């Protein structure tokens, strides 16, 4: 599990152009707990470019969830807004920063582009 989380944070900067549509500034802390242990990650975004590092720091926004849920987020198995609505995670602080950060999570592998849902191919005569 830790390897997935580390890989997610270490590749944030490489995925910035596709992740962010506008520059965002701020500090987001991700608190991941497993039982009594909490792991902290700090993501500093300056001009929309993220720099992530393990550790604790004061932050504009704090995401808190169990480590298992976060693993599902980084694999696209779950979505961050849905996790918040289910109360599986908590968020405090600047929501705008979180809304920008959530773009770094992959889409669900079962997601389909809504623009293609209503598309019908040419009918073939019977």
């Amino acid at each position: 599990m830790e390897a997935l989380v580390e890989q997610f944070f270490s590749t944030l900067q490489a995925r910035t152009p596709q992740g962010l549509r506008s520059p965002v500034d701020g500090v987001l802390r991700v608190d991941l707990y497993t039982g009594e242990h909490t792991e902290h990650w700090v993501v500093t975004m300056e001009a929309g470019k993220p720099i992530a590092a393990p550790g604790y720091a004061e932050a504009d926004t704090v995401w808190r969830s169990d480590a298992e849920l976060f693993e599902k987020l980084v694999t696209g198995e779950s979505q961050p807004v849905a996790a918040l609505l289910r109360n599986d995670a908590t968020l405090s602080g600047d929501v705008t920063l979180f809304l920008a950060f959530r773009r770094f999570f992959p889409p669900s592998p079962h997601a389909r582009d809504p623009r293609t849902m209503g598309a019908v191919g040419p009918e073939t005569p019977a």
Side-chain angles (χ1 to χ4, degrees):
M1 197 301 284
E2 286 184 28
L4 278 175
V5 172
E6 285 181 30
Q7 181 182 8
F8 172 78
F9 284 114
S10 68
T11 61
L12 281 181
Q13 212 165 31
R15 292 180 284 130
T16 298
Q18 65 192 34
L20 293 177
R21 295 188 180 145
S22 63
V24 176
D25 293 325
V27 177
L28 173 99
R29 189 178 73 231
V30 177
D31 296 345
L32 305 175
Y33 57 86
T34 306
E36 297 294 318
H37 173 73
T38 302
E39 179 181 359
H40 306 282
W41 284 86
V42 177
V43 179
T44 304
M45 288 202 253
E46 292 181 7
K49 295 185 179 186
I51 299 170
Y56 183 91
E58 291 298 317
D60 302 306
T61 306
V62 177
W63 167 277
R64 181 169 165 74
S65 70
D66 67 26
E68 185 178 334
L69 170 63
F70 201 78
E71 182 179 295
K72 290 178 181 179
L73 296 175
V74 302
T75 60
E77 197 176 324
S78 186
Q79 296 300 307
V81 173
L84 289 170
L85 293 173
R86 288 190 311 265
N87 288 325
D88 290 342
T90 61
L91 181 73
S92 61
D94 183 358
V95 176
T96 307
L97 188 59
F98 163 73
L99 292 175
F101 179 73
R102 74 184 172 113
R103 295 186 181 280
F104 289 101
F105 293 110
S108 168
H110 307 293
R112 293 169 58 185
D113 187 336
R115 295 171 290 192
T116 63
M117 294 299 293
V120 178
E123 293 185 30
T124 53

